[in-house]
Amino acid sequence: MLSKARIAVFVSGGGTNLEALLRAQEAGKIPHGEIVLVCASNPCAYALTRAANHGIPGVAISKKEMPQAAFETALSEKLNESRIDMIVLAGFLSVLSADFVKQWLGRIINIHPSLIPSFCGKGMYGLKVHEAALERGVKLTGATVHLVNEIPDGGRILLQKAVQILPDDTPEVLQKRVMEQAEWILLPQATELLASQIVLEKEHA
């Protein structure tokens, strides 16, 4: 292997999916990629502490403190400085513009806590997704990792995994089960999948 794909992980909160990625990397489950940067849209995000605990550089770029264009310019500067090849959205709650995404087409993956196309779209994130699933009374939910394109929640689905909903589930209990049985498994797998494709492209460039 000539090189590894250099990965930036975008976060906004606690960073449980980031933790899953870092542990997978340390266990050798992302052999074609290397997480070299964590970008948080919230300076108080605990995900930055998780990154530091694993020796990964982290940077906070507060979305609340600047217009969209300035926010994305600041992100791009950090990505360029770290020579990033791909981006993983791991609980990133700030919307990225179509112009930004176009610069990274085929190089951004996102995880959503449902089986897309169910329970996705505007306002559907975090616990709200699980609340909606329980309100609808479905028997199965899960998680989806997809490539990001200019359309929110659009892009080619890479991986999906179903998770059973149990009769006594609360949104919090269901959220934890989806994380443990789907999100923390799928996200490292999809990261390795895209990283391996990027490395192959580099080797044949």
Side-chain angles (χ1 to χ4, degrees), residues 28-147:
K29 294 181 180 179
I30 311 177
H32 292 88
E34 180 182 6
I35 299 167
V36 298
L37 180 66
V38 172
C39 294
S41 61
N42 172 11
C44 297
Y46 185 68
L48 291 170
T49 300
R50 293 183 189 272
N53 290 341
H54 290 266
I56 306 298
V59 60
I61 302 173
S62 179
K63 175 65 176 67
K64 293 182 178 180
E65 296 177 3
M66 61 186 79
Q68 183 75 19
F71 173 66
E72 292 181 350
T73 296
L75 283 176
S76 294
E77 288 174 355
K78 293 298 180 182
L79 296 175
N80 291 333
E81 287 173 9
S82 296
R83 297 177 287 112
I84 297 301
D85 295 306
M86 62 176 281
I87 299 168
V88 179
L89 305 182
F92 188 65
L93 301 182
S94 296
V95 176
L96 296 170
S97 71
D99 287 340
F100 182 91
V101 172
K102 282 178 183 177
Q103 300 173 43
W104 293 89
L105 277 181
R107 297 296 179 95
I108 308 178
I109 60 173
N110 183 43
I111 189 158
H112 186 74
S114 76
L115 298 174
I116 291 176
S118 299
F119 310 114
C120 61
K122 187 176 181 180
M124 281 292 172
Y125 61 88
L127 206 59
K128 295 180 180 181
V129 177
H130 306 294
E131 291 171 346
L134 291 175
E135 288 172 4
R136 187 71 61 86
V138 296
K139 302 301 181 183
L140 284 177
T141 185
T144 303
V145 181
H146 63 95
L147 285 168

Side-chain angles (χ1 to χ4, degrees), residues 1-3 5 32 85-86 104-107 147 156 193-205:
M1 190 190 310
L2 295 177
S3 63
H32 292 88
D85 295 306
M86 62 176 281
W104 293 89
L105 277 181
R107 297 296 179 95
L147 285 168
R156 180 166 62 90
L193 179 63
L194 182 55
S196 65
Q197 292 175 0
I198 291 170
V199 168
L200 188 63
E201 290 171 7
K202 283 186 173 183
E203 290 177 348
H204 289 86

